[in-house]
Amino acid sequence: MSIASTHTAAPSSPSAITRIETFLVSPRWLFVRIETADGHVGWGEPIVEGRAEAVASVVATLAERLLGADAGRIEDHWQVMTKGGFYRGGPVLSSAVAGIDQALWDLKGKALGVPVYELLGGPVRDRARVYTWVGGDTVEELAEHALRAKELGFTAVKCNGATQLEHIESPAATHRIVDQFAELREAVGEDMDFAIDFHGRFSTAMSRRVLPLLEPLLPLFVEEPVVPEFSRDLARITAATSIPIATGERLYSRWDFRDVLAAGIAVAQPDLSHAGGISEVRRIAAMAEAHDVVMAPHCPLGPIALAASLQVDFATPNFLIQEQSLGIHYNVGNDLLDYLVDPTVFTFTDGYVQRPTAPGLGVEVDEAAVRKAAADPHRWRNDVWRRRDGAFAEW
Ligand SMILES: [Mg+2]
């Protein structure tokens, strides 16, 4: 089955949407290209990692209503796309909307000749702090990779907290989790931050047991201690520790964020490609600000998602740090910079990225590279893990 699809309409006004195309490209991304009658092009990244084909299918359905319509009516399109199908929410629909929303903001910025952050009230900072992922099969490898990141100028890294876990682990396994981060702190010193991603692999009980043991190490934050099914119960975890708790990559709207903000998280991590795009993440940021919560948008994705994240970051007062995927373990075959005409927009210096100045999302997509890559679409899927007894384990 070919996933790349093209939908066209006759031009009715200069800003009418005349063409919507999707491209399934390596390593695991989906891009959308929207063209208007006056020849402007906007790009977005509508993706659920491992469910790209489903998202492309929803983009094709949404395209039926968008073709021929005015590209500039972003909020009206957002309302109709999220609510006009009667059924709403969830990762697939919200990510399809997110990618289209990014492309419409890209188009509007380009049509007006300004970066998107100018349309969101103008920049509130000149550079944005970024972190990089580090991993390793041993404690020594983890420390080595973190030190390499430090040499590259990064001031913060993030690593996974554990691989597959039992619901309640043994004392030995529990202490191994804590000890590896004690050694990491020892290796990088106290001038470097590290965040720990629990990846929803910990039960509520394990989180409550492990988090207090990590407190002396002062991690920047601990992410997704439990899966989002327990969003409503996160208060039991935030009450059990002084470590700032982060979550949000598997929440898809401001309504999904209500429970976790009320539960006392410290860091909100909506994903620009999952949580309804620039329009909705902008609103989630304002809700977070009202709870003294800072933003660290999730982005282990491609260059368009990162560009969209940065546009919001530069216009958001309560911003902490930005995730980005350069060199991440998922990026096999292609990496963050491969589909950009000018990859220097994502130069990281002293752990920061400079504010982009080009119109729209601030990046120029290498269309030829995208079309070439889409001829060989990926079929990326995450692993399925098992506990020691063979039962399903969170990945
Ligand atoms: Mg995560």
Side-chain angles (χ1 to χ4, degrees), residues 57-318:
S57 169
V58 174
V59 170
T61 307
L62 295 172
E64 293 171 11
R65 286 193 188 276
L66 291 167
L67 286 166
D70 182 350
R73 298 187 61 175
I74 301 175
E75 182 58 31
D76 188 59
H77 293 315
W78 193 94
Q79 294 291 328
V80 172
M81 288 191 293
T82 55
K83 301 170 184 173
F86 185 68
Y87 297 98
R88 44 191 87 187
V92 174
L93 174 62
S94 301
S95 299
V97 171
I100 292 170
D101 181 85
Q102 292 168 11
L104 294 179
W105 279 102
D106 192 26
L107 273 167
K108 187 179 277 286
K110 286 171 175 168
L112 297 173
V114 293
V116 170
Y117 58 72
E118 292 290 0
L119 305 172
L120 302 175
V124 295
R125 58 180 49 79
D126 300 317
R127 50 188 196 156
R129 193 179 179 202
V130 295
Y131 65 82
T132 189
W133 265 94
V134 292
D137 292 330
T138 63
V139 179
E140 293 74 23
E141 258 181 44
L142 179 63
E144 187 188 316
H145 294 164
L147 285 170
R148 196 177 304 154
K150 195 175 184 179
E151 279 165 23
L152 290 171
F154 287 103
T155 58
V157 295
K158 191 169 84 181
C159 31
N160 273 317
T163 53
Q164 63 265 57
L165 288 179
E166 302 294 306
H167 193 85
I168 300 172
E169 272 291 356
S170 67
T174 304
H175 283 126
R176 269 198 296 277
I177 293 167
V178 177
D179 290 349
Q180 67 177 332
F181 294 113
E183 291 195 34
L184 179 61
R185 173 58 77 209
E186 185 74 26
V188 300
E190 293 218 317
D191 289 327
M192 185 160 197
D193 280 313
F194 62 81
I196 306 171
D197 190 352
F198 278 15
H199 223 254
R201 293 169 188 166
F202 289 61
S203 61
T204 302
M206 270 300 285
S207 284
R208 285 170 55 89
R209 175 170 278 179
V210 171
L211 284 163
L213 301 175
L214 292 169
E215 281 174 14
L217 306 176
L218 302 177
L220 181 62
F221 55 76
V222 165
E223 170 175 329
E224 264 198 332
V226 292
V227 287
E229 292 92 306
F230 300 119
S231 282
R232 187 160 295 206
D233 307 318
L234 263 182
R236 292 172 57 212
I237 291 174
T238 58
T241 182
S242 66
I243 294 177
I245 297 299
T247 199
E249 70 191 66
R250 288 186 270 184
L251 302 175
Y252 311 112
S253 69
R254 78 196 93 148
W255 296 279
D256 287 355
F257 269 88
R258 282 175 59 170
D259 285 338
V260 298
L261 291 171
I265 64 162
V267 181
Q269 301 175 297
D271 186 310
L272 269 288
S273 282
H274 300 332
I278 290 170
S279 298
E280 186 68 352
V281 172
R282 174 75 168 157
R283 294 188 275 256
I284 292 167
M287 278 175 67
E289 188 183 10
H291 289 79
D292 201 13
V293 169
V294 285
M295 297 283 286
H298 179 250
C299 193
L301 299 172
I304 306 167
L306 178 58
S309 302
L310 291 172
Q311 293 296 325
V312 172
D313 299 342
F314 278 103
T316 296
N318 52 320

